[in-house]
Amino acid sequence: MTTHELPPLPYDYDALEPHVSEQVLRWHHDTHHQGYVDGWNSADETLAANRESGDFDSSPGALRSVTHNGSGHVLHDLFWQNMSPEGGDEPTGDLRDRIEADFGSYDAWEGEFRAAAGTAGGWVLLVYDTYDDVLRNIVVDKHDQGALWGAHPILALDVWEHSYYHDYGPARGDFVDAFFEVVDWREPANRYEELVAKFE
């Protein structure tokens, strides 16, 4: 059985200030993200024990815990990598070309992404949909409600209140503005290129 561990942030806790405070990163990474890692490991342990014992009464809840906590871990890991102190730019190269082809323009993509972020109950994602071979924005409530089969996230924005309330209060739009000041498109571009090479 795989044991999941919390990866360290790829930058210092204060590296994204003033857009994301050191306090928020410490709470968000060390407490919230750690909780999803722990929850995933616990669910896997429960499932393994149930398979051994033949008692599956608690298995349905553990299976739901895998998707909730596992998705929370995966998306948070992507979220940290999507940001950096060198961020704040726009995509270039093949990813920029694909965004413009699939959304009409970068501005159209950003407008749709921002609108989704204003209503999401968890995450807004830019995904590569391998089924239709297109980029899409999708809203995923909590961590696993609204996911699209065959779609692989390449950019993730966490809009749970613990992401921004300490810094911005109820002004989620201000947090979304701040995200665009630190978003680093190098990681999404690399993910996109790897996925295209794998699936095309």
Side-chain angles (χ1 to χ4, degrees), residues 9-151:
L9 286 174
Y11 33 75
D12 293 335
Y13 287 99
D14 62 354
L16 303 183
E17 290 189 333
H19 308 292
V20 183
S21 70
E22 176 181 357
Q23 182 63 76
V24 164
L25 276 185
R26 287 190 182 278
W27 283 334
H28 197 169
H29 177 265
D30 295 359
T31 301
H32 290 282
H33 190 172
Q34 182 69 64
Y36 303 126
V37 172
D38 294 344
W40 193 0
N41 287 331
S42 177
D44 278 344
E45 290 169 4
T46 297
L47 291 169
N50 291 354
R51 291 165 189 153
E52 185 173 344
S53 69
D55 180 357
F56 299 103
D57 287 349
S58 61
S59 293
L63 290 168
R64 290 183 182 90
S65 183
V66 166
T67 60
H68 176 77
N69 288 293
S71 296
H73 173 44
V74 169
L75 291 176
H76 276 92
D77 189 41
L78 179 58
F79 180 52
W80 308 134
Q81 295 178 50
N82 284 175
M83 300 183 289
S84 85
E86 291 79 40
D89 54 356
E90 294 184 2
T92 59
D94 290 346
L95 179 56
R96 175 67 178 239
D97 293 343
R98 189 60 181 268
I99 287 173
E100 292 177 348
D102 289 346
F103 291 91
S105 68
Y106 173 80
D107 288 343
W109 168 79
E110 184 179 328
E112 184 178 284
F113 189 89
R114 285 177 175 271
T119 63
W123 297 84
V124 58
L125 309 173
L126 172 62
V127 302
Y128 176 52
D129 173 3
T130 61
Y131 188 81
D132 281 341
D133 187 28
V134 294
L135 295 177
R136 298 184 184 278
N137 289 321
I138 63 171
V139 171
V140 175
D141 293 328
K142 299 189 178 178
H143 301 306
D144 53 351
Q145 297 176 13
L148 178 65
W149 300 121

